[in-house]
Amino acid sequence: MIAQLSGTVVRAEATAFVIEVAGVGYLAHTTPATSASLRPGEPSTVHTSLVVREDSLTLYGFANPEERDAFELVQTASGVGPRLAVAIVSVLSPSRIKQAILAEDLATLCSVPGIGRKGAQKLVLELKDRVLVLGDGENTAAQPPARPGEEAWRQQVVAGLEGLGWSTRDAAAACDGVAHLVEEDPTIPVASLMRAALSSLAKR
């Protein structure tokens, strides 16, 4: 089990990154917020989960261990695979996942692309006795966050949202909704913009 990697970030895409450790480049899938917080060429530590299948080994990386633990926990529910698990932890923090399941808040769970009412009910039923172990997961990665430039932030946010299952139209609308944050603070991190965009989509 690969639980953590420390090395130099080679590249960071919308929902994946490559980190070089001792001369080996590891490709890991991730949430848009985590990817946006990684800076190519800079050292970083990511918390990982290795998903083993008969025909593949796929690595997933997160900014903190709480997000990784939430990613692994939701997969213990029937019908939840790694892709949907990434969407869940991208939209909801570990604390919100715990609160929604304990409160049987189906509306919050249904705000995740790919989860309908039946899926939300299944998550509540199967995970209610397990989510108490989840932490908050609100802390951010230790390295300096990426800063938005001109319209580069918009491309990153749109790509990240599309990777999570939202349509191009919804992603563009979410970007329009957070554009004022860039006007108010041109140095705002892309990760913060991604969280704001996800929050606006979750309220629809």
Side-chain angles (χ1 to χ4, degrees), residues 3 13 36 45-47 55 67-68 80 82 98 116 118 121-122 130 139 143 151 168 181 201-202:
E13 302 171 353
T45 294
V46 290
H47 303 272
D55 59 348
E67 285 187 351
R68 178 196 58 205
V80 178
K98 178 165 62 175
K118 289 184 178 179
Q121 291 173 330
K122 187 178 297 183
R130 308 178 198 170
N139 52 310
Q143 67 279 357
E151 290 297 299
T168 300
L181 297 176
L201 288 169

Side-chain angles (χ1 to χ4, degrees), residues 43-106:
S44 182
T45 294
V46 290
H47 303 272
T48 58
S49 176
L50 182 63
V51 175
V52 180
R53 295 288 186 265
E54 290 185 1
D55 59 348
S56 66
L57 296 173
T58 307
L59 195 64
Y60 293 82
F62 304 93
N64 55 65
E66 292 82 8
E67 285 187 351
R68 178 196 58 205
D69 294 345
F71 167 78
E72 294 178 344
L73 178 65
V74 295
Q75 289 183 77
T76 64
S78 57
V80 178
R83 181 178 176 82
L84 182 55
V86 168
I88 293 173
V89 298
S90 294
V91 176
L92 306 174
S93 68
S95 62
R96 287 192 67 196
I97 294 172
K98 178 165 62 175
Q99 292 166 5
I101 290 176
L102 291 177
E104 300 186 16
D105 184 354
L106 302 185

Side-chain angles (χ1 to χ4, degrees), residues 10-24:
V10 177
R11 72 172 189 268
E13 302 171 353
T15 55
F17 63 86
V18 174
I19 185 169
E20 183 178 328
V21 181
V24 179

Side-chain angles (χ1 to χ4, degrees), residues 65-202:
E66 292 82 8
E67 285 187 351
R68 178 196 58 205
D69 294 345
F71 167 78
E72 294 178 344
L73 178 65
V74 295
Q75 289 183 77
T76 64
S78 57
V80 178
R83 181 178 176 82
L84 182 55
V86 168
I88 293 173
V89 298
S90 294
V91 176
L92 306 174
S93 68
S95 62
R96 287 192 67 196
I97 294 172
K98 178 165 62 175
Q99 292 166 5
I101 290 176
L102 291 177
E104 300 186 16
D105 184 354
L106 302 185
T108 293
L109 296 173
C110 287
S111 67
V112 178
I115 295 183
R117 186 173 180 81
K118 289 184 178 179
Q121 291 173 330
K122 187 178 297 183
L123 285 173
V124 170
L125 180 63
E126 298 185 17
L127 299 181
K128 197 164 189 178
D129 294 333
R130 308 178 198 170
V131 293
L132 292 176
V133 301
L134 291 182
D136 292 336
E138 302 295 349
N139 52 310
T140 57
Q143 67 279 357
R147 306 290 184 181
E150 295 302 322
E151 290 297 299
W153 70 267
R154 185 181 292 269
Q155 296 174 9
Q156 293 182 51
V157 173
V158 167
L161 294 175
E162 289 178 341
L164 291 173
W166 273 286
S167 67
T168 300
R169 177 180 297 181
D170 286 341
C175 285
D176 291 339
V178 302
H180 70 281
L181 297 176
V182 180
E183 296 176 1
E184 295 169 3
D185 179 10
T187 66
I188 186 173
V190 174
S192 296
L193 294 171
M194 179 64 70
R195 283 193 292 270
L198 286 168
S199 178
S200 69
L201 288 169

